[in-house]
Amino acid sequence: MANILGSFAEDIAKRPKTYNWWIVLWKVILLIGIINGFWGSQKVKAIGEGGYLAFLLSFIGPSLIYFSTQIIIQENFLELRQTFFSILCVLHLWALLITIFVMEHQTIWVDDLASAITVLILLFYGKKVDFVFKFGTIVYLGIRLLSVYFLSVGIRI
């Protein structure tokens, strides 16, 4: 979180009126994802019960978030979009694995599945077609906001 918030400060200091709002939006989306990850981890069984596999699975997600954060704060993020979306795709696959194997209630969240599909579309078409990148960003933001709502209300899908 500190890296993303620090990059906001650097953006404001360097280019006060020439932001790339799509990159700023992805930074906000990533912040929402970090917060969702924290609240989602509150529902994971005790890591000790799952043994080494549960520990390994719990370590992968934060590592992927760290890598995606390091990419998004780069000046040449638009050139690194495919790498960023590849990491997000792996992150969503990780979330589905956590949901299936480690969660107390074995449900597959619709928002995680929709997020994974949106990220796959962005991975393959986001760099080639600017409209797909912008539209996919808006769809992904909507899915993340629904996820925040579901977590806050306590709805399990």
Side-chain angles (χ1 to χ4, degrees):
M1 282 182 81
N3 287 336
I4 294 175
L5 294 173
S7 73
F8 282 133
E10 289 175 10
D11 288 344
I12 291 170
K14 289 181 183 174
R15 301 176 303 261
K17 295 187 181 188
T18 58
Y19 304 123
N20 186 333
W21 290 103
W22 296 104
I23 295 174
V24 172
L25 186 59
W26 272 106
K27 289 178 183 180
V28 170
I29 291 170
L30 197 55
L31 280 172
I32 291 171
I34 291 169
I35 294 168
N36 278 0
F38 171 76
W39 287 113
S41 68
Q42 298 300 313
K43 298 178 181 179
V44 174
K45 288 188 221 175
I47 292 175
E49 293 176 16
Y52 184 75
L53 179 63
F55 172 75
L56 182 63
L57 283 175
S58 68
F59 181 73
I60 291 171
S63 300
L64 292 171
I65 290 174
Y66 175 78
F67 294 142
S68 61
T69 302
Q70 292 304 310
I71 290 173
I72 204 164
I73 63 174
Q74 298 296 319
E75 291 291 328
N76 59 345
F77 168 70
L78 293 177
E79 297 171 10
L80 298 172
R81 280 189 278 194
Q82 287 181 319
T83 305
F84 177 75
F85 292 131
S86 298
I87 292 173
L88 278 185
C89 186
V90 172
L91 182 64
H92 284 293
L93 292 175
W94 168 82
L96 289 173
L97 284 174
I98 287 288
T99 301
I100 292 169
F101 294 116
V102 182
M103 297 291 281
E104 291 175 2
H105 304 285
Q106 294 199 3
T107 58
I108 296 177
W109 295 339
V110 173
D111 62 336
D112 280 336
L113 188 58
S115 297
I117 292 169
T118 305
V119 167
L120 277 174
I121 291 168
L122 285 168
L123 173 63
F124 290 112
Y125 300 107
K127 191 171 181 180
K128 299 173 187 171
V129 181
D130 201 39
F131 173 76
V132 172
F133 174 68
K134 292 177 180 179
F135 184 74
T137 298
I138 299 299
V139 169
Y140 191 84
L141 175 64
I143 294 167
R144 293 290 84 195
L145 291 176
L146 280 174
S147 176
V148 168
Y149 173 74
F150 291 156
L151 284 172
S152 66
V153 176
I155 297 174
R156 279 182 280 140
I157 294 180

